[in-house]
Amino acid sequence: MAEVIIVNNEEAAGRIYAQCVADLIHSKPDCVLGLATGSSPLAAYQALAHEVKNDHLDVSHVRGFALDEYAGLDPSHPQSYRSTITRTVVEPLGLTPDLVHVPNGALSTIREAGYEYDRMIKAAGGVDVQILGIGTDGHIGFNEPGSSLASGTRIKTLTQQTREDNARFFDNDIDQVPTHCITQGIGTIMKARHLVLLAFGSGKAEAIAETVEGGVSAFCPASALQLHPHATVIVDEKAASKLRNKDYYRYAYEHKPAWQGI
Ligand code: F6R
């Protein structure tokens, strides 16, 4: 089962992620980072950019693979995940742009793009640390409820709920939100060596309780994390509010030896 860390705010969560990744970059300068878009990882990327600057970390060899991309949205569109990853990760961290990959959402090649993306991840030696957000319906990447827990990267149909949640990035106009995407599968995500899932706010409380304490089920794709040997779930008090075993998670983290990291 995942380690659950309850923090006061997104900045505190971001610092934990940043420390973990900074340590990784020290020991493996060409490490492979799994990247997510959306609001949840933003403070973590900012904290990491801060570490990179303060510690004078050489990130020129760090490689990256994003989780997903909208289907049929031009990569130059400001809300494409290619643009978002460039703006929120590649530029602030100073990564080498050619080493950071985003699934190809072009409609003409989308049928083969998933296999090709999984092949590239494998050729890179696999993802070392995968950062994840979670949808209010329990999706990770864009694996909506019902997604096979063994799936590879492929095209998926977004749910109405996800399109409503993401309309805020498209002038609050759901009609501008694409209906399809290409996303790493749950099987792809589960191959990463360390998963770090971040969730904040009461809107995520139910999904987090299902993920951590519910049954493992395709109905809540994030519940697959229970089967991962190294998964860390970092949440604020609101996102933790529906967890039954909260006191134990707090106790375990408070008594964790510092050398253990996350
Ligand atoms: C984004 C992604 C999604 C988001 C999720 C939560 O690359 O894969 O699973 O992480 O929709 O989004 P936010 O963080 O905006 O609440």
Side-chain angles (χ1 to χ4, degrees):
M1 118 136 217
E3 173 178 30
V4 179
I5 304 175
I6 303 171
V7 294
N8 288 333
N9 51 42
E10 300 187 30
E11 287 67 33
R15 284 193 293 274
I16 295 173
Y17 166 82
Q19 187 61 58
C20 159
V21 174
D23 290 348
L24 174 68
I25 297 171
H26 273 298
S27 61
K28 185 178 177 187
D30 65 344
C31 61
V32 180
L33 301 181
L35 305 167
T37 57
S39 340
S40 308
L42 292 178
Y45 295 144
Q46 277 163 17
L48 182 56
H50 190 75
E51 286 279 333
V52 167
K53 200 169 161 211
N54 273 13
D55 276 12
H56 305 289
L57 282 177
D58 176 7
V59 293
S60 59
H61 301 289
V62 170
R63 296 165 290 165
F65 285 90
L67 281 172
D68 39 20
E69 177 59 287
Y70 290 113
L73 196 65
D74 197 278
S76 66
H77 188 289
Q79 294 309 329
S80 77
Y81 284 178
R82 162 61 71 189
S83 299
T84 307
I85 289 288
T86 301
R87 199 169 52 238
T88 60
V89 184
V90 176
E91 289 174 353
L93 265 65
L95 301 185
T96 305
D98 286 350
L99 297 182
V100 179
H101 309 279
V102 178
N104 184 351
L107 296 179
S108 56
T109 50
I110 204 159
R111 284 213 296 190
E112 300 81 40
Y115 296 109
E116 174 57 14
Y117 202 64
D118 284 347
R119 194 197 58 73
M120 284 167 65
I121 295 175
K122 194 171 174 197
V127 169
D128 289 300
V129 177
Q130 174 66 60
I131 194 169
L132 297 166
I134 183 170
T136 51
D137 60 5
H139 72 232
I140 48 173
F142 272 140
N143 296 280
E144 300 286 24
S147 294
S148 160
L149 300 184
S151 46
T153 303
R154 72 229 180 283
I155 188 165
K156 285 295 288 181
T157 311
L158 298 174
T159 60
Q160 182 74 2
Q161 176 70 60
T162 298
R163 293 181 67 231
E164 277 168 20
D165 288 346
N166 287 7
R168 68 191 194 280
F169 298 117
F170 291 85
D171 306 325
N172 286 316
D173 176 6
I174 190 169
D175 292 334
Q176 288 184 43
V177 184
T179 52
H180 291 77
C181 67
I182 175 168
T183 180
Q184 283 191 33
I186 302 289
T188 313
I189 293 169
M190 291 288 283
K191 288 191 185 110
R193 285 179 275 280
H194 184 190
L195 304 178
V196 180
L197 187 148
L198 305 175
F200 310 107
S202 49
K204 301 289 174 75
E206 205 152 314
I208 286 296
E210 277 288 319
T211 296
V212 177
E213 296 177 342
V216 174
S217 157
F219 188 71
C220 177
S223 64
L225 265 69
Q226 291 181 33
L227 300 174
H228 195 282
H230 191 185
T232 310
V233 173
I234 312 179
V235 287
D236 67 1
E237 292 287 347
K238 286 183 174 161
S241 60
K242 296 198 171 163
L243 289 171
R244 281 173 291 169
N245 229 0
K246 242 186 313 192
D247 293 345
Y248 173 68
Y249 306 140
R250 272 206 193 89
Y251 178 86
Y253 188 61
E254 276 163 19
H255 292 83
K256 189 173 178 173
W259 53 263
Q260 230 177 8
I262 60 165

